[in-house]
Amino acid sequence: MNSKFVLSQKEVALILAAGRTEAQRNQWPVSIAVVDDGGHLLALERLDGCAPIGAYICMEKARTSALGRRESNVYEEMVNNGRHAFLSVPLLTSLEGGVPIIVDGQVIGAVGVSGVKSAQDAQIAKAAVLALQG
């Protein structure tokens, strides 16, 4: 039988705090979602000034990253390079800003961020994920 790591509320709080810090340091109003490896929401935070839709989009970015086991920008690149069929995949957003949480080679969850430019969303998500390595 295999075993795997799972995110506890302690790690989720650490991830959210790191994402919030990166966003606030840059004065970026975003929403941040943390999901488990099945794409199920563990936490969501919408910072002041973020449009309500950001909360929905960040969850979908996180879900995409967790279920796909890769950064969500991979799908964006596929679509931009002509693989338009990916636009019809359910529960999938092909926007940059979803980053998997990988521990010992296993994806145990993901972070999704939405509210600013896609590269900035990804910067926040990556900073949040890096909090587990520090």
Side-chain angles (χ1 to χ4, degrees):
M1 187 176 292
N2 295 327
S3 59
K4 67 177 186 177
F5 292 97
V6 295
L7 292 168
S8 72
Q9 283 301 300
K10 179 181 176 183
E11 288 86 26
V12 170
L14 181 68
I15 291 165
L16 273 180
R20 182 184 328 107
T21 297
E22 181 69 12
Q24 290 175 334
R25 184 177 65 79
N26 290 288
Q27 299 180 336
W28 293 335
V30 298
S31 289
I32 305 166
V34 181
V35 300
D36 65 15
D37 62 333
H40 304 285
L41 187 65
L42 297 173
L44 170 70
E45 184 168 351
R46 190 174 94 197
L47 301 181
D48 293 343
C50 182
I53 196 165
Y56 175 80
I57 295 171
C58 75
M59 288 187 287
E60 292 304 308
K61 288 180 179 184
R63 183 175 292 123
T64 296
S65 185
L67 295 176
R69 306 290 194 247
R70 61 189 69 170
E71 290 189 33
S72 58
N73 71 324
V74 170
Y75 299 106
E76 182 178 18
E77 291 170 9
M78 285 183 197
V79 171
N80 289 341
N81 289 325
R83 301 243 3 236
H84 299 121
F86 274 95
L87 292 173
S88 65
V89 176
L91 298 175
L92 183 77
T93 181
S94 56
L95 298 172
E96 185 176 13
V99 177
I101 302 167
I102 302 171
V103 175
D104 287 347
Q106 297 178 354
V107 174
I108 64 168
V111 176
V113 178
S114 181
V116 287
K117 294 178 182 178
S118 292
Q120 295 167 334
D121 290 342
Q123 178 181 327
I124 296 165
K126 289 174 184 177
V129 170
L130 283 176
L132 288 182
Q133 297 175 356

